[in-house]
Amino acid sequence: MTSAEGLTRHRQGPARHEGPAEPDPDGPPAPMPAHVPLLPGTTPAAFTRLNAGAASRAGVSPAKYAGLLGMSPRYLEDDRYRPPASTNIRIWELLTLHVPWHEVSLRMAEESALGALGVWDYLITQAPTPLEGLHDACRYLATVADAGTEVMHVEQTERHVTISHVNAADLSDEVASAIRAYALGLMRQRIGEAARRPVVPVGVVLAARAPRDHRALVDLFGTRAIEFAGPVNSITFDTADLIAPQPHAPGLSDLLRRHAEQSLTDAIPLHDWLDVFRSTLRAAPDPEVPTLRALAQQLSLSTRTLQRRLEEHGTTWSQELQALRREHTLRLLTTTDMTLDSVARRAGYADPRGLRRAVQRWTGRPLASVRGARSGGIGVAGGGAGGVAPVGPGGPS
């Protein structure tokens, strides 16, 4: 371990910058397109997998977090899903009960091998310069974190670039300190991978009390220039280190941005238990009508408990099946070239006349009008399994 000499307590706020702020030569990063969801309250399955793996290796019993929402292998192993942010916070709480927060930060950074966090990693490491990659990392933060509570900023001057990180979630001091230090350490790690060499920061400011032993933080940041008790968490680099061109494939950054946007558009958020239930319900093969008993078994619940849970969320098994039938039918009409006879049979109607009446009742439009709306569909939206948004209680029958 490196010596901790030279560590100081914060005195004057975040690292200062000499001279007026200079604009990015390429202009400020473009905002996220309005049609791309930020999915607040959720985090990617890749991040949840990372947390669970770190917790297991730290000695936390999997039994303490395996029952949390979104922890089923079905969700963890499919990157379309986004478990609740609360699940990840609980895992970090368990980690900090086993290991001091500053060691948790280092362990998490060590777990975060390049690629473990998906497209976000490559937005940074495959950009023409590390600075451009940082702007993309801030713009697409939702691909790796809960964009409802986490924010990252990049401030550039002629001499320095400072990355600030804020996590506004309701966190204990230990968890907040661990997550914030990890976020800055991860940025330093990715910048080094982008530059193909170690990049030592000018300094780090942490909004945390100084621990007795700083060695884990020195290893995390690669410097002893760490200040504590600051108002904002930040890490500062020499501008020259971040604007140097790095090997990259022309056009790759644009491709990665589009991939990031598509991954957010196609994501299936699991905010709460009802989201988990609906995603399980919609995972059944289209020709099959799931039974209450089968769904209850998949969710490790009794049928009575499942019915009670649904009532607590203001819906019923019958309403959910009706919503599923409606969504499935509209998806077939708007995204396939199946004949009306075939759609009617798949949807459980005796003939197209019943199908026409149902579509008119659901949408207020004739079937021909709905069938003609092939670009996007009527009542069909991203957000549910198979590209179908959940329908709440009181939906059409």
Side-chain angles (χ1 to χ4, degrees):
M1 291 285 191
T2 308
S3 170
E5 294 180 4
L7 291 164
T8 61
R9 288 192 175 275
H10 176 80
R11 294 182 300 278
Q12 299 179 6
R16 293 173 294 172
H17 305 288
E18 294 77 3
E22 294 289 337
D24 181 5
D26 297 323
M32 182 79 77
H35 66 278
V36 178
L38 295 180
L39 309 168
T42 65
T43 54
F47 186 55
T48 309
R49 287 196 302 268
L50 196 69
N51 294 336
S56 177
R57 281 181 277 278
V60 179
S61 170
K64 293 185 176 181
Y65 54 82
L68 297 173
L69 283 178
M71 288 300 297
S72 164
R74 171 171 170 252
Y75 303 122
L76 286 184
E77 295 169 6
D78 188 335
D79 284 338
R80 294 177 304 161
Y81 291 104
R82 291 179 63 96
S86 58
T87 289
N88 292 277
I89 291 173
R90 179 55 183 156
I91 296 174
W92 280 75
E93 289 173 346
L94 294 169
L95 274 166
T96 56
L97 289 174
H98 275 69
V99 181
W101 69 263
H102 46 287
E103 292 186 19
V104 170
S105 300
L106 178 60
R107 290 191 183 200
M108 284 299 302
E110 291 172 344
E111 293 276 344
S112 303
L114 181 62
L117 295 173
V119 66
W120 187 83
D121 284 347
Y122 300 108
L123 286 168
I124 302 174
T125 58
Q126 301 301 315
T129 68
L131 182 58
E132 184 175 327
L134 286 176
H135 283 308
D136 279 343
C138 293
R139 182 185 182 195
Y140 295 101
L141 186 61
T143 61
V144 75
D146 176 7
T149 58
E150 297 208 40
V151 180
M152 297 189 73
H153 296 290
V154 177
E155 178 187 355
Q156 180 185 355
T157 70
E158 184 177 353
R159 294 183 58 187
H160 294 141
V161 172
T162 295
I163 308 161
S164 301
H165 172 261
V166 176
N167 187 316
D170 184 13
L171 306 171
S172 67
D173 287 344
E174 296 289 298
V175 173
S177 298
I179 290 177
R180 292 164 182 167
Y182 162 70
L184 297 183
L186 180 63
M187 297 306 297
R188 178 243 171 182
Q189 190 168 307
R190 292 292 179 264
I191 288 170
E193 289 160 344
R196 277 66 167 179
R197 62 179 177 80
V199 177
V200 179
V202 173
V204 177
V205 176
L206 296 177
R209 293 187 297 272
R212 289 185 178 180
D213 187 341
H214 307 101
R215 288 175 294 177
L217 294 176
V218 172
D219 284 352
L220 177 65
F221 298 120
T223 181
R224 295 192 296 263
I226 307 173
E227 300 183 355
F228 295 93
V232 178
N233 298 276
S234 64
I235 186 167
T236 300
F237 297 91
D238 283 324
T239 299
D241 285 333
L242 301 192
I243 62 174
Q246 60 190 31
H248 69 282
L252 181 57
S253 287
D254 286 338
L255 181 63
L256 290 169
R257 293 181 195 114
R258 290 195 295 272
H259 179 60
E261 292 171 10
Q262 192 63 47
S263 68
L264 292 172
T265 300
D266 294 342
I268 304 172
L270 305 175
H271 291 100
D272 54 24
W273 179 87
L274 189 57
D275 279 345
V276 172
F277 164 80
R278 284 173 170 163
S279 68
T280 304
L281 180 64
R282 286 164 175 80
D286 285 344
E288 299 181 9
V289 178
T291 65
L292 177 64
R293 181 182 297 276
L295 257 291
Q297 289 177 344
Q298 288 189 54
L299 295 169
S300 300
L301 300 172
S302 69
T303 56
R304 292 187 64 183
T305 299
L306 175 54
Q307 289 174 314
R308 187 174 65 251
R309 288 272 186 93
L310 290 170
E311 290 172 1
E312 290 170 353
H313 285 80
T315 186
T316 66
W317 173 253
S318 176
Q319 286 177 320
E320 293 300 316
L321 282 185
Q322 290 166 2
L324 180 65
R325 185 187 194 191
R326 168 188 181 272
E327 294 164 0
H328 173 58
T329 302
L330 291 177
R331 184 173 69 246
L332 292 178
L333 288 171
T334 58
T335 64
T336 75
D337 293 321
M338 292 175 63
T339 66
L340 293 185
D341 283 336
S342 297
V343 173
R345 285 195 300 271
R346 289 280 294 273
Y349 295 99
D351 55 50
R353 287 178 297 178
L355 177 62
R356 292 179 191 278
R357 289 193 295 269
V359 170
Q360 179 73 43
R361 184 172 66 250
W362 293 337
T363 67
R365 299 175 61 181
L367 187 148
S369 175
V370 173
R371 192 71 196 261
R374 296 302 180 91
S375 58
I378 303 296
V380 180
V388 181
V391 173
S397 60

